């Protein structure tokens, strides 16, 4: 593979790939994000992601294959970013490149991210992209690191 990383609009067939990626046991362990059943997952994507004009979402492709997604959304008055990549794309710079491309499209600053505290790979990826630590938050009994990309934040490369 040449690892030609690109972003493109999400296509209907991508949702099956995203669903499978969400159910990968190692991804679940690292993200501390519980996988949803198919109906809940598909409804969420149809209404809360693709059906919401305030959401910016792109599929990540590597050498033409769907590798994952990057999405930004409003939560109250804060703009958040999240991403999910299939395990076979971890550790190859795909996340770094996809995030850099997405940050060229998503111009809202500040931009927030809140990965699980134990998801060190995701925290490092965001910090390399210029996000700074802004404290911690709890989601239920889970600790998350709040990271913020300000208007003067560095860019991923």
């Amino acid at each position: 593979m040449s690892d030609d990383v690109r972003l493109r609009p999400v296509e209907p067939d991508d949702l099956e790939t995203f669903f499978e990626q969400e159910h990968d046991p190692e991804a679940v362990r690292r993200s501390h994000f519980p996988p949803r059943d198919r109906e809940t997952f598909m409804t969420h994507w149809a209404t809360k992601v693709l059906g919401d004009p305030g959401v910016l979402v792109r599929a990540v492709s590597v050498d033409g294959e769907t590798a994952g997604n990057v999405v930004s959304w409003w939560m109250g008055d804060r703009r958040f970013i999240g991403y999910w990549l299939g395990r076979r794309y971890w550790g190859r710079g795909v996340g770094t490149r996809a995030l850099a491309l997405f940050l060229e499209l998503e111009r809202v600053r500040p931009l927030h991210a809140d990965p699980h505290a134990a998801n060190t790979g995701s925290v490092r990826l965001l910090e390399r992209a210029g996000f700074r630590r802004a404290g911690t938050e709890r989601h239920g009994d889970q600790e998350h690191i709040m990271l913020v990309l300000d208007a003067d934040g560095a860019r991923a490369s």
Side-chain angles (χ1 to χ4, degrees):
M1 280 192 181
S2 67
D3 287 348
D4 177 29
V5 178
R6 298 178 186 262
L7 299 183
R8 60 169 173 71
V10 172
E11 299 168 358
D13 289 346
D14 294 329
L15 298 182
E16 187 62 37
T17 301
F18 300 163
F19 178 76
E20 290 171 9
Q21 291 171 343
E22 184 174 293
H23 282 258
D24 178 289
E26 182 61 15
V28 170
R29 186 187 72 74
R30 288 183 184 208
S31 68
H32 290 264
F33 187 86
R36 297 167 281 200
D37 65 72
R38 181 177 302 283
E39 182 178 341
T40 302
F41 179 90
M42 294 300 176
T43 299
H44 173 82
W45 270 86
T47 61
K48 304 281 187 184
V49 181
L50 299 173
D52 183 340
V55 170
L56 176 61
V57 61
R58 291 292 182 268
V60 177
S61 70
V62 176
D63 298 331
E65 294 182 25
T66 302
N69 63 78
V70 186
V71 61
S72 59
W73 67 95
W74 288 103
M75 186 179 301
D77 62 349
R78 297 191 296 182
R79 187 83 170 161
F80 278 82
I81 186 170
Y83 43 84
W84 199 282
L85 292 174
R87 189 188 327 186
R88 67 184 280 207
Y89 301 100
W90 298 353
R92 295 172 31 192
V94 173
T96 299
R97 183 67 185 132
L99 185 56
L101 292 169
F102 193 81
L103 292 174
E104 292 174 11
L105 299 173
E106 175 55 81
R107 305 301 297 173
V108 174
R109 304 292 186 269
L111 188 59
H112 300 81
D114 63 344
H116 189 274
N119 192 348
T120 57
S122 190
V123 172
R124 282 194 309 264
L125 171 65
L126 290 158
E127 288 176 331
R128 282 193 312 266
F131 284 75
R132 64 174 171 77
R133 291 181 188 230
T136 60
E137 292 196 0
R138 296 204 70 81
H139 299 289
D141 62 348
Q142 304 289 325
E143 183 179 11
H144 291 251
I145 308 282
M146 181 58 66
L147 295 130
V148 179
L149 180 66
D150 295 308
D152 61 346
R155 303 301 297 229
S157 57

